[in-house]
Amino acid sequence: MKNKKMTIFLVIVILIQLSVPVTMLVNYEKKMKEFNANYKEINVYIDGVYCYEDSFGIYSNGLNSYDYSKNYVVFNEVEPGFYRWEKTDEKPEDKIYVDLNERTSDFDYLDYRKNDMPDGYDFYDIYYTNLYDKVEEIENIDKNHCEGPETKAYMVLKVYNGIFEIKEVYINSIPLDEYYYKVQNDEIDIARYDYYIGN
Amino acid sequence: MLNLIENETYENENKNNKTEKTNKALTTVFSVLGSLLLGIGVTFLLVGMWDRFPLTGRMIISFLPMLIGQGIAVFTFLKKRENTVWCEGASILWTIGVSATVGMFSYLFGIHLGVLNCLLIDALLTLPIIFIFNATIPLAFYYSAAIAGSLGITSMFSSNLWSAASLILLMIPGYLFTYKNTHSEKKTRFEYCKWISVVAAIVSAVACGFVFECESIILLLSGALFLCLFCLDKKESWASPFYLFGVAGSGLISVLSTFGTMVNEYWDVWNKEIISEGIFAIVVTVALIIFGFIKGSESFEGNKAKTAFCVASVIGLTVNPIASALYKTPAMSMVIALSFFTVTVVQAITLIVKGAQERKYFSLNIGLAMAISLLFFALNSYYSDPLIMGIAFMVSGTVLFIANYFITKKHKPEMVLKENTQEVPDDEK
């Protein structure tokens, strides 16, 4: 009799334990289904394209997956169809926003980096814009190297209910992967371009 | 000649046996090392390739630890239930499997649980495992996860009271498990449960006080717990965790309480904002004291020293909340300081006298330490002169040395007498 009770108890415990990850999975699927049915696409300026000696990539300080100094990022329209990010602690009402604590968001492109730059590109050490869109010099940077025509870089975001997904990134209206391919094949000379994108 | 040959054969056989044993041991060591390296290699592979797996693949890999743990548990339950080693091993693997899967799923599917909340879930899922297999090893994990998880409740509900309540409530199943087993069986692994439970109780009581951010509550709860432990003790041996922590802890709390009133640092006034926390602390304190006295009532019979010590502790614990509320006027603060001082002195004297009479080193030395601490605190507060402090140190050291020397000296003749009166076996007569 005691054995039977313990066996039933064991089965119940196993089922409860299995239900915990299954519940997490079901909640995730539900959330993503709702997201895919209701998202809105917006264009958001990224903060910069950085150059290392042998790689380049894009970044956005507003949607930085490592910076949780504030919980929300709200998007303000600065031009028709184009937005800039702004961080805030309060959940915005009636605005498109992202909840940085919403871990189902896809930060994929923001860690974008392509290595193995072609030979002959004479890059100095990295430079980047900080949170306030100011260029910071690091070590042996050549200022002349940093001057060049303005570059328009933005990402197309799918946003809904605090969750976001990056659909594509454009640099001067060219999709990011294609842009990199052109750099690899010397169709675009990025050694002379300034990748600072500020106000 | 024949003897020589026989001896040589015997020596050779011995050598072969030893070599075989050494080889077996080496095989075991290197097999374990090999398995360990293999396991580490697989882990590194998974970590390195984790991002390249599709979501479904990662989900399956994340599920595996739990399934493996449950599989081993079911096998052990059905086939090896009488084997303690199998039960303990299965329970720990099951616990690790469950914790790993919950953590990995939480990370994978973006559930913002946080580490502390994950630990709380792990604690709740681990608890039944302890009871199913009567396993003692996961108990330490359970207590740690429960304490950490309870602290996470503060951020989840923004409530210190819930956090403190859960700190206490989550410990209870562990205590029940320990009580059930230590009451029925006298095995070493259940003694380990006792020690772990006592340590967990102390940590949770202190954590409760820290959650409320009030020093007087820390002293109140810890003092009540130590008193309860001392009341429950029946062995009066420092090898028992109840006695060890009960006596030392009560002494420490009394000294700290006295020190707090003497240097005017400890006492938070219980303002309206934390009145509910204060009431909670008093209720827990009273419950612990009543429980300790009722459950340990047998140990007080004929033990005047213990009774005096515990009564003094109760007075000290009663003065604590009053002190916190009325510590505003200098006259009251003097009265309160004297009360604590008296309580501590009474406790110290009872321990010293009991230790000297029954030659119990532990209680004697704790009592002396309490008295010396009071002296130091008083001298440091009012004089702070290196010369006076130096003399105080020398006197204290001398007193400790002399007291222990006399006890040891008295103890030795009795031991010699006992050895001399041991019965000589008949065949040696």
Side-chain angles (χ1 to χ4, degrees):
Chain A
M1 188 63 183
K2 195 182 172 188
N3 262 347
K4 235 187 185 176
K5 278 186 184 171
M6 274 310 245
T7 312
I8 293 169
F9 183 58
L10 177 70
V11 169
I12 292 170
V13 165
I14 287 173
L15 287 173
I16 291 172
Q17 288 177 349
L18 285 170
S19 71
V20 170
V22 165
T23 309
M24 288 182 187
L25 176 62
V26 164
N27 280 341
Y28 171 80
E29 289 296 332
K30 200 172 149 188
K31 212 180 255 189
M32 293 319 291
K33 205 174 171 184
E34 202 185 321
F35 173 80
N36 287 325
N38 297 299
Y39 70 80
K40 184 181 172 179
E41 276 187 20
I42 56 172
N43 300 319
V44 178
Y45 283 122
I46 60 175
D47 293 318
V49 177
Y50 61 76
C51 310
Y52 285 153
E53 286 177 353
D54 59 354
S55 62
F56 85 89
I58 66 141
Y59 63 94
S60 168
N61 291 315
L63 292 170
N64 191 330
S65 57
Y66 301 106
D67 179 9
Y68 290 92
S69 50
K70 296 191 178 181
N71 289 318
Y72 298 96
V73 171
V74 68
F75 298 105
N76 302 313
E77 200 167 11
V78 292
E79 294 168 24
F82 284 85
Y83 294 75
R84 279 208 182 274
W85 61 266
E86 183 191 347
K87 276 198 175 172
T88 172
D89 257 329
E90 290 171 14
K91 190 172 174 183
E93 309 272 344
D94 302 326
K95 272 191 171 181
I96 305 169
Y97 75 97
V98 156
D99 180 357
L100 287 177
N101 292 315
E102 180 51 73
R103 298 298 189 102
T104 47
S105 293
D106 180 13
F107 287 87
D108 189 32
Y109 264 116
L110 289 170
D111 291 326
Y112 181 93
R113 186 189 300 190
K114 286 287 190 195
N115 295 328
D116 303 324
M117 292 298 286
D119 289 336
Y121 283 92
D122 185 19
F123 288 113
Y124 291 86
D125 293 307
I126 61 164
Y127 67 97
Y128 58 89
T129 62
N130 63 15
L131 285 171
Y132 303 99
D133 286 341
K134 287 179 186 162
V135 175
E136 278 201 25
E137 294 175 23
I138 298 174
E139 293 181 13
N140 303 316
I141 198 73
D142 180 354
K143 280 191 184 172
N144 292 329
H145 200 79
C146 296
E147 290 175 2
E150 269 196 21
T151 303
K152 186 169 180 173
Y154 63 92
M155 48 192 171
V156 179
L157 287 191
K158 296 191 215 177
V159 186
Y160 173 73
N161 199 22
I163 303 170
F164 78 93
E165 197 182 296
I166 304 175
K167 186 181 170 185
E168 185 57 86
V169 174
Y170 291 96
I171 300 177
N172 290 337
S173 305
I174 302 170
L176 189 57
D177 279 340
E178 192 184 319
Y179 192 91
Y180 179 73
Y181 175 79
K182 286 178 188 290
V183 165
Q184 283 278 19
N185 293 306
D186 294 332
E187 291 173 48
I188 293 176
D189 180 7
I190 64 171
R192 295 168 54 81
Y193 280 78
D194 175 5
Y195 286 94
Y196 159 66
I197 298 143
N199 289 318
Chain B
M1 187 65 179
L2 201 63
N3 275 344
L4 274 170
I5 294 167
E6 276 180 4
N7 278 345
E8 209 176 302
T9 315
Y10 177 72
E11 272 176 24
N12 282 340
E13 266 184 33
N14 251 359
K15 266 187 200 169
N16 284 340
N17 280 342
K18 275 185 189 168
T19 313
E20 221 179 284
K21 276 185 185 169
T22 314
N23 285 342
K24 273 188 183 170
L26 279 172
T27 309
T28 310
V29 164
F30 282 105
S31 302
V32 168
L33 193 61
S35 313
L36 203 62
L37 288 170
L38 194 69
I40 292 170
V42 167
T43 309
F44 270 109
L45 265 175
L46 281 175
V47 166
M49 293 172 60
W50 188 249
D51 289 329
R52 293 179 210 182
F53 285 126
L55 189 63
T56 318
R58 283 186 270 173
M59 188 189 75
I60 292 169
I61 293 170
S62 302
F63 235 126
L64 282 177
M66 185 185 274
L67 292 174
I68 292 169
Q70 287 174 341
I72 292 171
V74 168
F75 172 77
T76 307
F77 185 84
L78 294 172
K79 301 283 184 193
K80 302 276 183 184
R81 220 164 141 205
E82 305 308 319
N83 190 321
T84 311
V85 173
W86 269 92
C87 285
E88 294 282 353
S91 68
I92 200 67
L93 284 172
W94 195 3
T95 304
I96 292 170
V98 164
S99 309
T101 296
V102 167
M104 285 162 86
F105 258 75
S106 158
Y107 175 75
L108 209 54
F109 294 111
I111 312 291
H112 183 56
L113 279 177
V115 173
L116 296 181
N117 295 326
C118 252
L119 284 172
L120 183 62
I121 294 173
D122 290 339
L124 293 171
L125 293 178
T126 304
L127 185 60
I129 299 172
I130 296 169
F131 285 97
I132 288 170
F133 286 117
N134 222 30
T136 57
I137 297 175
L139 189 64
F141 171 79
Y142 169 74
Y143 281 137
S144 313
I147 290 170
S150 302
L151 295 174
I153 287 179
T154 311
S155 56
M156 214 175 7
F157 293 119
S158 301
S159 165
N160 291 335
L161 262 182
W162 272 110
S163 187
S166 64
L167 265 170
I168 291 166
L169 289 171
L170 284 171
M171 296 290 111
I172 291 174
Y175 302 153
L176 287 173
F177 172 78
T178 305
Y179 176 76
K180 181 192 105 180
N181 283 299
T182 50
H183 218 63
S184 57
E185 293 178 65
K186 300 278 178 203
K187 284 186 183 169
T188 311
R189 64 194 188 104
F190 296 129
E191 282 300 306
Y192 153 83
C193 283
K194 220 195 232 179
W195 279 89
I196 292 288
S197 298
V198 168
V199 170
I202 294 166
V203 171
S204 60
V206 173
C208 248
F210 275 112
V211 156
F212 291 145
E213 294 174 23
C214 180
E215 289 90 350
S216 55
I217 292 182
I218 297 174
L219 292 174
L220 191 63
L221 289 173
S222 311
L225 176 68
F226 289 130
L227 174 62
C228 181
L229 288 173
F230 185 42
C231 290
L232 293 173
D233 172 67
K234 286 166 189 166
K235 289 182 189 172
E236 291 205 347
S237 157
W238 65 269
S240 156
F242 290 161
Y243 188 73
L244 175 72
F245 289 109
V247 169
S250 293
L252 178 69
I253 295 297
S254 296
V255 167
L256 284 177
S257 301
T258 314
F259 174 62
T261 51
M262 285 170 79
V263 297
N264 300 345
E265 274 177 13
Y266 266 82
W267 300 105
D268 282 332
V269 175
W270 286 3
N271 54 41
K272 288 175 192 169
E273 288 166 26
I274 60 165
I275 197 75
S276 52
E277 282 92 340
I279 293 169
F280 174 86
I282 290 174
V283 166
V284 170
T285 301
V286 169
L288 280 170
I289 293 171
I290 292 172
F291 177 76
F293 273 101
I294 291 174
K295 211 64 178 128
S297 55
E298 288 170 6
S299 62
F300 286 100
E301 285 169 20
N303 196 338
K304 288 179 186 168
K306 184 170 179 175
T307 312
F309 184 95
C310 291
V311 167
S313 272
V314 171
I315 293 169
L317 289 171
T318 314
V319 172
N320 178 320
I322 298 169
S324 304
L326 301 174
Y327 195 71
K328 284 177 182 166
T329 61
M332 273 314 296
S333 68
M334 184 54 79
V335 167
I336 289 160
L338 279 172
S339 310
F340 275 118
F341 188 82
T342 311
V343 159
T344 311
V345 165
V346 166
Q347 286 182 320
I349 290 170
T350 54
L351 288 175
I352 291 167
V353 167
K354 188 174 174 69
Q357 281 178 345
E358 296 177 21
R359 282 178 293 281
K360 288 186 187 289
Y361 292 95
F362 185 70
S363 41
L364 171 76
N365 284 300
I366 293 290
L368 285 171
M370 283 171 71
I372 290 167
S373 305
L374 278 179
L375 180 69
F376 275 122
F377 287 141
L379 284 174
N380 197 42
S381 303
Y382 294 110
Y383 294 104
S384 299
D385 186 357
L387 183 66
I388 294 174
M389 293 303 290
I391 295 169
F393 269 107
M394 284 169 60
V395 167
S396 317
T398 312
V399 164
L400 270 173
F401 176 75
I402 292 171
N404 280 282
Y405 173 74
F406 273 116
I407 297 282
T408 312
K409 203 175 165 192
K410 268 192 178 177
H411 196 52
K412 264 191 184 166
E414 273 196 22
M415 280 184 67
V416 169
L417 199 64
K418 273 187 188 165
E419 281 171 13
N420 287 341
T421 54
Q422 269 176 6
E423 275 198 29
V424 178
D426 285 330
D427 57 349
E428 285 187 31
K429 280 184 183 169

